[in-house]
Amino acid sequence: SLTFRRAQLVALVAMLEDHKDEAVAALASDMGRPAAEAGGEVAVSIREAKDAASSLERWSAPEPKPVHLMMQPSHAAVRRSPYGACLIIGPYNYPLMLCLEPLIGAIAAGNATLLKPSELTPATAAFLEKRIPAYLTAEACRVVTGGVEVSQALLATQWDFIYFTGSPRVGRIVAKAAAEHLTPTALELGGKAPAVVLSSADVGEAARRIVNAKALNVGQTCIAPDYVLVDRSQHTALVAALTAEMRAMFGDEPHASPDLGRMCTVGHFDRMAKLLAESGGTQRRGGSAPP
């Protein structure tokens, strides 16, 4: 019922408001997230849950549709029904928000959900595993934690809908497993996001926006700029502006800045360091890489 769905969403808001500091601490433990960034992730989830709770009647109302002349005087409408049992597999980069946002949608649509947070962010996974059962009923959501073997076991099970956020490589695995049961899926996968700087651009403003967007969650964002396409006439000025902006934001040793997060794992860090070393380009700005 809509009453049940609304109650679960309100309970989710209460969970986040009651334990915001705990959630922020978990994100800091997993990702080295600055308090403002981590608090923003919690705030976005609260806003989404509140918006969904206030929109249930409108979203669930039948949507009248026109009827062909041959079918007159009948009436037609689109009526939205729950899928049923849903599986949500969350990512590591925004381990709270990108678990809770699809969960909010699943609850609002009347589904029962099994939530699998990323094993790469154990503190946030433990927070969800501990707090969700204390606020939401098991009929609405259950949480299971574990590594790849748990995900594999879950994907071997038949579901009514699967929501996955992550890499295209793992997305293919999820899609293949879902196809065995003809299970509908939503795959939110990473891609490429270039920044384009034209000859008419304000170089200083462009640099500020690029550094801000890339530094958020230290680039572990699906829409973070991956590379810059710049008009040749702006190239030298843009490189200088980017260098100055990075120094202004994070100092001479960015790893010591309290305003910059951390890569999720050592493996992720090492992969980025290798890409930089093998790029063949010239490093204009950076700092030391502490162990």
Side-chain angles (χ1 to χ4, degrees), residues 2 16 18 23 55-56 59 64 66 72 102 105 108 112 124 126 128 134 165 171 178 198 207 255 267 279 284-285 288:
L2 295 187
L16 293 171
D18 291 348
S55 302
L56 288 177
W59 291 348
Q72 297 288 351
T124 306
L128 294 170
T165 305
L198 303 178
H255 72 83
S279 68
R284 297 287 186 173
R285 178 78 187 118
S288 60

Side-chain angles (χ1 to χ4, degrees), residues 141-193:
C141 179
R142 299 191 184 199
V143 181
V144 60
T145 58
V148 174
E149 70 285 351
V150 172
S151 296
Q152 291 173 337
L154 291 173
L155 289 173
T157 304
Q158 184 169 357
W159 301 91
D160 297 308
F161 194 92
I162 298 174
Y163 192 105
F164 169 77
T165 305
S167 69
R169 180 185 65 82
V170 180
R172 292 185 184 94
I173 297 172
V174 173
K176 183 177 180 180
E180 290 293 324
H181 303 290
L182 297 179
T183 302
T185 60
L187 304 176
E188 184 186 0
L189 309 177
K192 289 298 178 184

Side-chain angles (χ1 to χ4, degrees), residues 24-46:
V24 168
L27 291 168
S29 174
D30 286 331
M31 309 288 291
R33 299 284 291 279
E37 276 191 22
E41 191 165 336
V42 177
V44 167
S45 300
I46 290 174

Side-chain angles (χ1 to χ4, degrees), residues 57-66 75-80:
E57 284 81 4
R58 177 167 55 86
W59 291 348
S60 303
E63 184 180 341
K65 293 293 182 179
H75 300 277
V78 173
R79 297 180 182 273
R80 296 170 176 82

Side-chain angles (χ1 to χ4, degrees):
S1 68
L2 295 187
T3 300
F4 174 79
R5 301 180 201 180
R6 183 178 296 103
Q8 299 305 301
L9 293 170
V10 169
L12 187 59
V13 170
M15 179 192 86
L16 293 171
E17 291 180 339
D18 291 348
H19 303 287
K20 178 181 178 180
D21 291 344
E22 184 181 346
V24 168
L27 291 168
S29 174
D30 286 331
M31 309 288 291
R33 299 284 291 279
E37 276 191 22
E41 191 165 336
V42 177
V44 167
S45 300
I46 290 174
R47 185 199 65 201
E48 291 287 338
K50 288 182 175 180
D51 287 349
S54 65
S55 302
L56 288 177
E57 284 81 4
R58 177 167 55 86
W59 291 348
S60 303
E63 184 180 341
K65 293 293 182 179
V67 178
H68 191 277
L69 181 63
M70 293 182 64
M71 299 297 178
Q72 297 288 351
S74 63
H75 300 277
V78 173
R79 297 180 182 273
R80 296 170 176 82
S81 301
Y83 275 99
C86 297
L87 171 65
I88 296 173
I89 302 178
Y92 72 85
N93 60 334
Y94 289 90
L96 184 75
M97 182 177 70
L98 293 184
C99 279
L100 295 184
E101 287 203 349
L103 174 61
I104 290 165
I107 292 173
N111 299 288
T113 301
L114 185 68
L115 175 62
K116 163 63 173 67
S118 174
E119 69 275 13
L120 300 180
T121 50
T124 306
F127 169 79
L128 294 170
E129 185 180 34
K130 175 183 178 182
R131 294 302 179 187
I132 283 181
Y135 283 80
L136 274 63
T137 67
E139 290 76 15
C141 179
R142 299 191 184 199
V143 181
V144 60
T145 58
V148 174
E149 70 285 351
V150 172
S151 296
Q152 291 173 337
L154 291 173
L155 289 173
T157 304
Q158 184 169 357
W159 301 91
D160 297 308
F161 194 92
I162 298 174
Y163 192 105
F164 169 77
T165 305
S167 69
R169 180 185 65 82
V170 180
R172 292 185 184 94
I173 297 172
V174 173
K176 183 177 180 180
E180 290 293 324
H181 303 290
L182 297 179
T183 302
T185 60
L187 304 176
E188 184 186 0
L189 309 177
K192 289 298 178 184
V196 181
V197 181
L198 303 178
S199 60
S200 58
D202 180 328
V203 172
E205 182 68 13
R208 184 185 66 81
R209 292 178 178 180
I210 291 169
V211 173
N212 261 314
K214 191 62 175 179
L216 178 65
N217 202 19
V218 286
Q220 298 170 114
T221 305
C222 60
I223 57 173
D226 292 289
Y227 57 97
V228 179
L229 300 175
V230 56
D231 187 277
R232 191 178 301 275
S233 65
Q234 297 274 45
H235 176 266
T236 301
L238 180 65
V239 170
L242 288 170
T243 302
E245 195 66 40
M246 291 174 65
R247 179 176 286 108
M249 287 188 184
F250 307 116
D252 289 326
E253 288 294 344
H255 72 83
S257 172
D259 300 318
L260 191 65
R262 299 293 181 266
M263 300 298 292
C264 180
T265 68
V266 172
H268 286 83
F269 177 88
D270 289 343
R271 184 170 69 89
M272 291 298 101
K274 183 180 179 183
L275 287 173
L276 180 63
E278 297 177 352
S279 68
T282 301
Q283 182 172 322
R284 297 287 186 173
R285 178 78 187 118
S288 60

